[in-house]
mmCIF file of all heavy atoms in Angstrom:
data_model
loop_
_atom_site.group_PDB
_atom_site.id
_atom_site.type_symbol
_atom_site.label_atom_id
_atom_site.label_comp_id
_atom_site.label_asym_id
_atom_site.label_seq_id
_atom_site.Cartn_x
_atom_site.Cartn_y
_atom_site.Cartn_z
ATOM 1 N N THR A 1 6.849 -36.464 27.108
ATOM 2 C CA THR A 1 7.977 -37.283 27.117
ATOM 3 C C THR A 1 8.180 -38.126 25.750
ATOM 4 O O THR A 1 7.306 -38.518 25.193
ATOM 5 C CB THR A 1 7.952 -38.362 28.226
ATOM 6 O OG1 THR A 1 7.887 -37.691 29.445
ATOM 7 C CG2 THR A 1 9.189 -39.277 28.214
ATOM 8 N N GLY A 2 9.387 -38.052 25.281
ATOM 9 C CA GLY A 2 9.660 -38.493 23.943
ATOM 10 C C GLY A 2 10.797 -37.847 23.214
ATOM 11 O O GLY A 2 11.717 -38.443 22.664
ATOM 12 N N ARG A 3 10.896 -36.466 23.341
ATOM 13 C CA ARG A 3 11.929 -35.757 22.911
ATOM 14 C C ARG A 3 12.633 -35.120 24.125
ATOM 15 O O ARG A 3 12.045 -34.643 25.043
ATOM 16 C CB ARG A 3 11.359 -34.664 21.997
ATOM 17 C CG ARG A 3 10.918 -35.151 20.622
ATOM 18 C CD ARG A 3 10.541 -34.028 19.730
ATOM 19 N NE ARG A 3 9.416 -33.191 20.373
ATOM 20 C CZ ARG A 3 9.002 -32.067 19.908
ATOM 21 N NH1 ARG A 3 9.638 -31.438 18.889
ATOM 22 N NH2 ARG A 3 7.987 -31.484 20.509
ATOM 23 N N LYS A 4 13.940 -35.044 23.948
ATOM 24 C CA LYS A 4 14.779 -34.528 25.170
ATOM 25 C C LYS A 4 14.405 -33.046 25.518
ATOM 26 O O LYS A 4 14.437 -32.048 24.663
ATOM 27 C CB LYS A 4 16.310 -34.519 24.696
ATOM 28 C CG LYS A 4 17.190 -34.345 26.002
ATOM 29 C CD LYS A 4 18.677 -34.656 25.643
ATOM 30 C CE LYS A 4 19.572 -34.643 26.834
ATOM 31 N NZ LYS A 4 20.964 -35.009 26.559
ATOM 32 N N TYR A 5 14.191 -32.906 26.777
ATOM 33 C CA TYR A 5 13.759 -31.586 27.322
ATOM 34 C C TYR A 5 12.518 -31.011 26.781
ATOM 35 O O TYR A 5 12.198 -29.851 26.818
ATOM 36 C CB TYR A 5 14.974 -30.598 27.206
ATOM 37 C CG TYR A 5 16.137 -30.963 27.875
ATOM 38 C CD1 TYR A 5 17.392 -31.163 27.120
ATOM 39 C CD2 TYR A 5 16.188 -31.183 29.260
ATOM 40 C CE1 TYR A 5 18.436 -31.564 27.830
ATOM 41 C CE2 TYR A 5 17.385 -31.610 29.916
ATOM 42 C CZ TYR A 5 18.521 -31.846 29.158
ATOM 43 O OH TYR A 5 19.624 -32.200 29.819
ATOM 44 N N GLN A 6 11.631 -31.835 26.151
ATOM 45 C CA GLN A 6 10.360 -31.423 25.521
ATOM 46 C C GLN A 6 9.305 -32.127 26.406
ATOM 47 O O GLN A 6 8.494 -32.885 25.838
ATOM 48 C CB GLN A 6 10.309 -31.685 24.055
ATOM 49 C CG GLN A 6 11.250 -31.022 23.192
ATOM 50 C CD GLN A 6 11.080 -29.480 23.267
ATOM 51 O OE1 GLN A 6 10.100 -29.052 23.042
ATOM 52 N NE2 GLN A 6 12.203 -28.775 23.468
ATOM 53 N N CYS A 7 9.350 -31.897 27.643
ATOM 54 C CA CYS A 7 8.319 -32.625 28.418
ATOM 55 C C CYS A 7 8.050 -31.666 29.581
ATOM 56 O O CYS A 7 8.582 -30.499 29.883
ATOM 57 C CB CYS A 7 8.889 -33.803 29.047
ATOM 58 S SG CYS A 7 10.513 -33.699 29.912
ATOM 59 N N GLN A 8 6.930 -32.159 30.456
ATOM 60 C CA GLN A 8 6.570 -31.219 31.570
ATOM 61 C C GLN A 8 7.327 -31.393 32.750
ATOM 62 O O GLN A 8 7.584 -30.453 33.594
ATOM 63 C CB GLN A 8 5.022 -31.616 31.884
ATOM 64 C CG GLN A 8 4.002 -31.241 30.739
ATOM 65 C CD GLN A 8 3.928 -29.793 30.568
ATOM 66 O OE1 GLN A 8 3.738 -28.984 31.425
ATOM 67 N NE2 GLN A 8 4.178 -29.419 29.202
ATOM 68 N N PHE A 9 7.894 -32.649 33.035
ATOM 69 C CA PHE A 9 8.832 -32.796 34.131
ATOM 70 C C PHE A 9 10.065 -33.340 33.695
ATOM 71 O O PHE A 9 10.198 -34.369 33.025
ATOM 72 C CB PHE A 9 8.083 -33.978 34.996
ATOM 73 C CG PHE A 9 6.847 -33.493 35.614
ATOM 74 C CD1 PHE A 9 5.636 -33.560 34.968
ATOM 75 C CD2 PHE A 9 6.798 -32.823 36.888
ATOM 76 C CE1 PHE A 9 4.447 -33.156 35.540
ATOM 77 C CE2 PHE A 9 5.492 -32.409 37.464
ATOM 78 C CZ PHE A 9 4.441 -32.507 36.813
ATOM 79 N N THR A 10 11.058 -32.545 33.842
ATOM 80 C CA THR A 10 12.378 -32.648 33.158
ATOM 81 C C THR A 10 13.003 -34.108 33.337
ATOM 82 O O THR A 10 13.634 -34.682 32.483
ATOM 83 C CB THR A 10 13.380 -31.657 33.636
ATOM 84 O OG1 THR A 10 12.770 -30.296 33.381
ATOM 85 C CG2 THR A 10 14.701 -31.674 32.881
ATOM 86 N N TYR A 11 12.793 -34.674 34.571
ATOM 87 C CA TYR A 11 13.503 -35.952 34.846
ATOM 88 C C TYR A 11 13.003 -37.108 33.926
ATOM 89 O O TYR A 11 13.753 -37.952 33.644
ATOM 90 C CB TYR A 11 13.408 -36.331 36.278
ATOM 91 C CG TYR A 11 12.031 -36.973 36.575
ATOM 92 C CD1 TYR A 11 11.868 -38.383 36.463
ATOM 93 C CD2 TYR A 11 10.857 -36.155 36.909
ATOM 94 C CE1 TYR A 11 10.578 -38.974 36.809
ATOM 95 C CE2 TYR A 11 9.677 -36.839 37.284
ATOM 96 C CZ TYR A 11 9.621 -38.349 37.203
ATOM 97 O OH TYR A 11 8.413 -38.875 37.466
ATOM 98 N N THR A 12 11.939 -36.804 33.239
ATOM 99 C CA THR A 12 11.345 -37.888 32.418
ATOM 100 C C THR A 12 11.839 -37.784 30.879
ATOM 101 O O THR A 12 11.667 -38.717 30.145
ATOM 102 C CB THR A 12 9.748 -37.705 32.233
ATOM 103 O OG1 THR A 12 9.466 -36.571 31.553
ATOM 104 C CG2 THR A 12 9.173 -37.949 33.647
ATOM 105 N N CYS A 13 12.607 -36.698 30.620
ATOM 106 C CA CYS A 13 13.154 -36.563 29.275
ATOM 107 C C CYS A 13 14.510 -35.919 29.233
ATOM 108 O O CYS A 13 14.871 -35.306 28.227
ATOM 109 C CB CYS A 13 12.172 -35.765 28.452
ATOM 110 S SG CYS A 13 11.940 -34.031 28.925
ATOM 111 N N ASP A 14 15.243 -36.072 30.298
ATOM 112 C CA ASP A 14 16.690 -35.450 30.369
ATOM 113 C C ASP A 14 17.746 -36.410 29.883
ATOM 114 O O ASP A 14 18.909 -36.106 29.814
ATOM 115 C CB ASP A 14 16.979 -34.855 31.753
ATOM 116 C CG ASP A 14 16.928 -36.052 32.786
ATOM 117 O OD1 ASP A 14 16.737 -37.202 32.375
ATOM 118 O OD2 ASP A 14 17.207 -35.619 33.972
ATOM 119 N N GLY A 15 17.251 -37.684 29.527
ATOM 120 C CA GLY A 15 18.342 -38.630 29.033
ATOM 121 C C GLY A 15 18.917 -39.510 30.132
ATOM 122 O O GLY A 15 19.642 -40.368 29.760
ATOM 123 N N ASN A 16 18.770 -39.063 31.295
ATOM 124 C CA ASN A 16 19.272 -39.874 32.458
ATOM 125 C C ASN A 16 18.452 -40.891 32.968
ATOM 126 O O ASN A 16 17.125 -40.784 32.861
ATOM 127 C CB ASN A 16 19.543 -38.908 33.687
ATOM 128 C CG ASN A 16 20.608 -37.790 33.419
ATOM 129 O OD1 ASN A 16 21.584 -38.101 32.669
ATOM 130 N ND2 ASN A 16 20.297 -36.658 33.832
ATOM 131 N N PRO A 17 18.986 -42.147 33.281
ATOM 132 C CA PRO A 17 18.208 -43.258 33.811
ATOM 133 C C PRO A 17 17.393 -42.886 35.173
ATOM 134 O O PRO A 17 17.971 -42.190 35.926
ATOM 135 C CB PRO A 17 19.154 -44.384 34.055
ATOM 136 C CG PRO A 17 20.476 -43.661 34.209
ATOM 137 C CD PRO A 17 20.484 -42.383 33.377
ATOM 138 N N GLU A 18 16.210 -43.303 35.212
ATOM 139 C CA GLU A 18 15.279 -42.988 36.435
ATOM 140 C C GLU A 18 15.551 -44.236 37.423
ATOM 141 O O GLU A 18 14.690 -44.967 37.655
ATOM 142 C CB GLU A 18 13.907 -42.750 35.870
ATOM 143 C CG GLU A 18 13.808 -41.566 35.095
ATOM 144 C CD GLU A 18 12.458 -41.669 34.259
ATOM 145 O OE1 GLU A 18 11.601 -42.571 34.491
ATOM 146 O OE2 GLU A 18 12.312 -40.952 33.221
ATOM 147 N N LYS A 19 16.554 -44.029 38.170
ATOM 148 C CA LYS A 19 16.916 -45.068 39.164
ATOM 149 C C LYS A 19 16.903 -44.416 40.546
ATOM 150 O O LYS A 19 17.222 -43.353 40.753
ATOM 151 C CB LYS A 19 18.378 -45.700 38.905
ATOM 152 C CG LYS A 19 18.423 -46.412 37.582
ATOM 153 C CD LYS A 19 19.793 -47.081 37.542
ATOM 154 C CE LYS A 19 20.070 -47.822 36.173
ATOM 155 N NZ LYS A 19 21.387 -48.535 35.977
ATOM 156 N N ILE A 20 16.337 -45.312 41.430
ATOM 157 C CA ILE A 20 16.235 -44.761 42.818
ATOM 158 C C ILE A 20 17.523 -45.275 43.589
ATOM 159 O O ILE A 20 17.684 -46.383 43.830
ATOM 160 C CB ILE A 20 15.008 -45.548 43.580
ATOM 161 C CG1 ILE A 20 13.743 -45.235 42.679
ATOM 162 C CG2 ILE A 20 14.758 -45.031 44.918
ATOM 163 C CD1 ILE A 20 13.336 -43.809 42.570
ATOM 164 N N HIS A 21 18.316 -44.292 43.972
ATOM 165 C CA HIS A 21 19.581 -44.569 44.673
ATOM 166 C C HIS A 21 19.342 -44.254 46.113
ATOM 167 O O HIS A 21 20.311 -44.568 46.944
ATOM 168 C CB HIS A 21 20.672 -43.597 43.990
ATOM 169 C CG HIS A 21 20.977 -43.945 42.575
ATOM 170 N ND1 HIS A 21 21.573 -45.108 42.188
ATOM 171 C CD2 HIS A 21 20.814 -43.209 41.441
ATOM 172 C CE1 HIS A 21 21.770 -45.240 40.968
ATOM 173 N NE2 HIS A 21 21.288 -43.994 40.434
ATOM 174 N N GLU A 22 18.282 -43.533 46.557
ATOM 175 C CA GLU A 22 18.185 -43.262 47.991
ATOM 176 C C GLU A 22 16.927 -43.874 48.458
ATOM 177 O O GLU A 22 15.764 -43.198 48.405
ATOM 178 C CB GLU A 22 18.099 -41.672 48.219
ATOM 179 C CG GLU A 22 19.354 -41.100 47.661
ATOM 180 C CD GLU A 22 19.335 -39.655 47.884
ATOM 181 O OE1 GLU A 22 18.720 -39.150 48.924
ATOM 182 O OE2 GLU A 22 19.747 -38.910 46.855
ATOM 183 N N PRO A 23 16.769 -45.172 48.871
ATOM 184 C CA PRO A 23 15.570 -45.746 49.216
ATOM 185 C C PRO A 23 14.876 -45.294 50.363
ATOM 186 O O PRO A 23 13.610 -45.193 50.287
ATOM 187 C CB PRO A 23 16.009 -47.220 49.534
ATOM 188 C CG PRO A 23 17.539 -47.161 49.810
ATOM 189 C CD PRO A 23 17.953 -46.063 48.949
ATOM 190 N N ALA A 24 15.601 -44.642 51.388
ATOM 191 C CA ALA A 24 14.821 -44.007 52.519
ATOM 192 C C ALA A 24 14.046 -42.812 51.973
ATOM 193 O O ALA A 24 12.945 -42.551 52.520
ATOM 194 C CB ALA A 24 15.983 -43.651 53.588
ATOM 195 N N ALA A 25 14.755 -42.039 51.051
ATOM 196 C CA ALA A 25 13.996 -40.772 50.575
ATOM 197 C C ALA A 25 12.792 -41.233 49.763
ATOM 198 O O ALA A 25 11.775 -40.536 49.826
ATOM 199 C CB ALA A 25 14.950 -40.045 49.780
ATOM 200 N N TYR A 26 12.941 -42.426 48.994
ATOM 201 C CA TYR A 26 11.747 -42.880 48.223
ATOM 202 C C TYR A 26 10.661 -43.211 49.229
ATOM 203 O O TYR A 26 9.449 -42.987 48.817
ATOM 204 C CB TYR A 26 12.287 -43.990 47.348
ATOM 205 C CG TYR A 26 11.120 -44.402 46.454
ATOM 206 C CD1 TYR A 26 10.653 -43.764 45.314
ATOM 207 C CD2 TYR A 26 10.473 -45.734 46.726
ATOM 208 C CE1 TYR A 26 9.626 -44.195 44.537
ATOM 209 C CE2 TYR A 26 9.481 -46.158 45.946
ATOM 210 C CZ TYR A 26 9.028 -45.321 44.829
ATOM 211 O OH TYR A 26 8.031 -45.881 44.120
ATOM 212 N N THR A 27 10.956 -43.906 50.246
ATOM 213 C CA THR A 27 9.926 -44.262 51.194
ATOM 214 C C THR A 27 9.234 -43.122 51.813
ATOM 215 O O THR A 27 8.044 -43.029 52.027
ATOM 216 C CB THR A 27 10.527 -45.152 52.340
ATOM 217 O OG1 THR A 27 11.100 -46.293 51.873
ATOM 218 C CG2 THR A 27 9.500 -45.557 53.468
ATOM 219 N N SER A 28 9.998 -42.032 52.007
ATOM 220 C CA SER A 28 9.409 -40.769 52.678
ATOM 221 C C SER A 28 8.464 -40.072 51.658
ATOM 222 O O SER A 28 7.308 -39.816 52.045
ATOM 223 C CB SER A 28 10.567 -39.896 52.967
ATOM 224 O OG SER A 28 11.284 -40.427 54.075
ATOM 225 N N VAL A 29 8.785 -39.977 50.465
ATOM 226 C CA VAL A 29 8.008 -39.271 49.455
ATOM 227 C C VAL A 29 6.842 -40.230 49.145
ATOM 228 O O VAL A 29 5.755 -39.770 48.664
ATOM 229 C CB VAL A 29 8.707 -38.847 48.069
ATOM 230 C CG1 VAL A 29 9.824 -37.757 48.587
ATOM 231 C CG2 VAL A 29 9.327 -40.145 47.425
ATOM 232 N N GLY A 30 7.130 -41.435 49.235
ATOM 233 C CA GLY A 30 5.890 -42.442 48.948
ATOM 234 C C GLY A 30 4.856 -42.204 50.136
ATOM 235 O O GLY A 30 3.592 -42.362 49.734
ATOM 236 N N LYS A 31 5.225 -41.868 51.224
ATOM 237 C CA LYS A 31 4.219 -41.611 52.271
ATOM 238 C C LYS A 31 3.400 -40.326 51.916
ATOM 239 O O LYS A 31 2.192 -40.281 52.176
ATOM 240 C CB LYS A 31 4.871 -41.446 53.701
ATOM 241 C CG LYS A 31 5.419 -42.732 54.148
ATOM 242 C CD LYS A 31 6.154 -42.512 55.490
ATOM 243 C CE LYS A 31 6.815 -43.700 56.076
ATOM 244 N NZ LYS A 31 7.439 -43.624 57.441
ATOM 245 N N VAL A 32 4.185 -39.365 51.272
ATOM 246 C CA VAL A 32 3.517 -38.222 50.978
ATOM 247 C C VAL A 32 2.480 -38.405 49.866
ATOM 248 O O VAL A 32 1.371 -37.915 49.969
ATOM 249 C CB VAL A 32 4.486 -37.147 50.568
ATOM 250 C CG1 VAL A 32 3.874 -35.930 49.953
ATOM 251 C CG2 VAL A 32 5.457 -36.686 51.754
ATOM 252 N N ALA A 33 2.942 -39.120 48.976
ATOM 253 C CA ALA A 33 2.051 -39.550 47.750
ATOM 254 C C ALA A 33 0.871 -40.254 48.278
ATOM 255 O O ALA A 33 -0.175 -40.047 47.729
ATOM 256 C CB ALA A 33 2.764 -40.420 46.694
ATOM 257 N N ARG A 34 1.041 -41.216 49.159
ATOM 258 C CA ARG A 34 -0.050 -41.950 49.747
ATOM 259 C C ARG A 34 -1.108 -41.093 50.407
ATOM 260 O O ARG A 34 -2.339 -41.200 50.216
ATOM 261 C CB ARG A 34 0.440 -42.929 50.687
ATOM 262 C CG ARG A 34 -0.584 -44.107 51.313
ATOM 263 C CD ARG A 34 -1.009 -45.102 50.256
ATOM 264 N NE ARG A 34 -2.171 -44.606 49.442
ATOM 265 C CZ ARG A 34 -2.596 -45.080 48.401
ATOM 266 N NH1 ARG A 34 -1.903 -46.064 47.828
ATOM 267 N NH2 ARG A 34 -3.701 -44.531 47.775
ATOM 268 N N ALA A 35 -0.618 -40.133 51.189
ATOM 269 C CA ALA A 35 -1.453 -39.185 52.002
ATOM 270 C C ALA A 35 -2.308 -38.404 51.007
ATOM 271 O O ALA A 35 -3.466 -38.071 51.072
ATOM 272 C CB ALA A 35 -0.806 -38.353 52.931
ATOM 273 N N GLU A 36 -1.493 -37.873 49.807
ATOM 274 C CA GLU A 36 -2.163 -37.107 48.965
ATOM 275 C C GLU A 36 -3.299 -37.839 48.241
ATOM 276 O O GLU A 36 -4.307 -37.296 47.899
ATOM 277 C CB GLU A 36 -1.121 -36.524 47.862
ATOM 278 C CG GLU A 36 -1.648 -35.435 46.977
ATOM 279 C CD GLU A 36 -1.881 -34.190 47.650
ATOM 280 O OE1 GLU A 36 -1.086 -33.735 48.581
ATOM 281 O OE2 GLU A 36 -2.903 -33.530 47.245
ATOM 282 N N LEU A 37 -3.015 -39.015 47.730
ATOM 283 C CA LEU A 37 -3.970 -39.824 46.951
ATOM 284 C C LEU A 37 -5.157 -40.183 47.958
ATOM 285 O O LEU A 37 -6.332 -40.360 47.514
ATOM 286 C CB LEU A 37 -3.377 -41.035 46.570
ATOM 287 C CG LEU A 37 -2.418 -40.855 45.265
ATOM 288 C CD1 LEU A 37 -1.719 -42.226 45.070
ATOM 289 C CD2 LEU A 37 -3.131 -40.395 44.074
ATOM 290 N N ASP A 38 -4.916 -40.400 49.178
ATOM 291 C CA ASP A 38 -6.022 -40.675 50.103
ATOM 292 C C ASP A 38 -6.870 -39.485 50.509
ATOM 293 O O ASP A 38 -7.786 -39.537 51.316
ATOM 294 C CB ASP A 38 -5.394 -41.384 51.403
ATOM 295 C CG ASP A 38 -4.888 -42.760 51.030
ATOM 296 O OD1 ASP A 38 -5.094 -43.329 50.069
ATOM 297 O OD2 ASP A 38 -4.159 -43.272 51.954
ATOM 298 N N GLY A 39 -6.485 -38.269 49.988
ATOM 299 C CA GLY A 39 -7.286 -37.048 50.365
ATOM 300 C C GLY A 39 -7.091 -36.504 51.674
ATOM 301 O O GLY A 39 -7.897 -35.834 52.164
ATOM 302 N N ARG A 40 -5.979 -36.844 52.399
ATOM 303 C CA ARG A 40 -5.674 -36.562 53.719
ATOM 304 C C ARG A 40 -5.027 -35.226 53.906
ATOM 305 O O ARG A 40 -4.800 -34.618 54.842
ATOM 306 C CB ARG A 40 -4.887 -37.607 54.519
ATOM 307 C CG ARG A 40 -5.629 -38.937 54.499
ATOM 308 C CD ARG A 40 -4.795 -39.983 54.987
ATOM 309 N NE ARG A 40 -4.088 -39.677 56.259
ATOM 310 C CZ ARG A 40 -3.004 -40.249 56.718
ATOM 311 N NH1 ARG A 40 -2.372 -41.077 56.011
ATOM 312 N NH2 ARG A 40 -2.478 -39.845 57.820
ATOM 313 N N ALA A 41 -4.388 -34.773 52.706
ATOM 314 C CA ALA A 41 -3.487 -33.502 52.888
ATOM 315 C C ALA A 41 -4.326 -32.251 52.686
ATOM 316 O O ALA A 41 -5.106 -32.141 51.830
ATOM 317 C CB ALA A 41 -2.430 -33.631 51.759
ATOM 318 N N PRO A 42 -4.062 -31.213 53.516
ATOM 319 C CA PRO A 42 -4.681 -29.948 53.312
ATOM 320 C C PRO A 42 -4.027 -29.263 52.086
ATOM 321 O O PRO A 42 -2.952 -29.604 51.667
ATOM 322 C CB PRO A 42 -4.350 -29.260 54.573
ATOM 323 C CG PRO A 42 -2.864 -29.842 55.060
ATOM 324 C CD PRO A 42 -3.080 -31.228 54.571
ATOM 325 N N ALA A 43 -4.899 -28.484 51.446
ATOM 326 C CA ALA A 43 -4.659 -27.718 50.245
ATOM 327 C C ALA A 43 -3.646 -26.607 50.691
ATOM 328 O O ALA A 43 -3.809 -25.905 51.600
ATOM 329 C CB ALA A 43 -5.745 -27.074 49.599
ATOM 330 N N VAL A 44 -2.514 -26.501 49.899
ATOM 331 C CA VAL A 44 -1.544 -25.466 50.199
ATOM 332 C C VAL A 44 -1.256 -24.585 48.954
ATOM 333 O O VAL A 44 -0.375 -23.584 49.066
ATOM 334 C CB VAL A 44 -0.253 -26.090 50.733
ATOM 335 C CG1 VAL A 44 -0.464 -26.771 52.017
ATOM 336 C CG2 VAL A 44 0.397 -27.048 49.682
#
């Protein structure tokens, strides 16, 4: 991240603000992140 489109995850360098406009969706993916970090998710 630092140069436009020169990054691994496009949303971090596409020039658009990283704002959460869908709080329900953020809560859902937050649960996924929590389970992944806690080592509860099966490998896929």
Side-chain angles (χ1 to χ4, degrees):
T1 298
R3 290 183 298 166
K4 195 169 185 179
Y5 299 121
Q6 298 297 311
C7 56
Q8 296 294 310
F9 296 85
T10 306
Y11 81 91
T12 67
C13 65
D14 60 5
N16 297 320
E18 297 159 15
K19 294 184 178 180
I20 306 297
H21 294 294
E22 301 175 41
Y26 182 73
T27 298
S28 293
V29 296
K31 293 178 179 181
V32 173
R34 185 71 270 163
E36 188 70 39
L37 286 171
D38 292 344
R40 296 169 54 201
V44 294

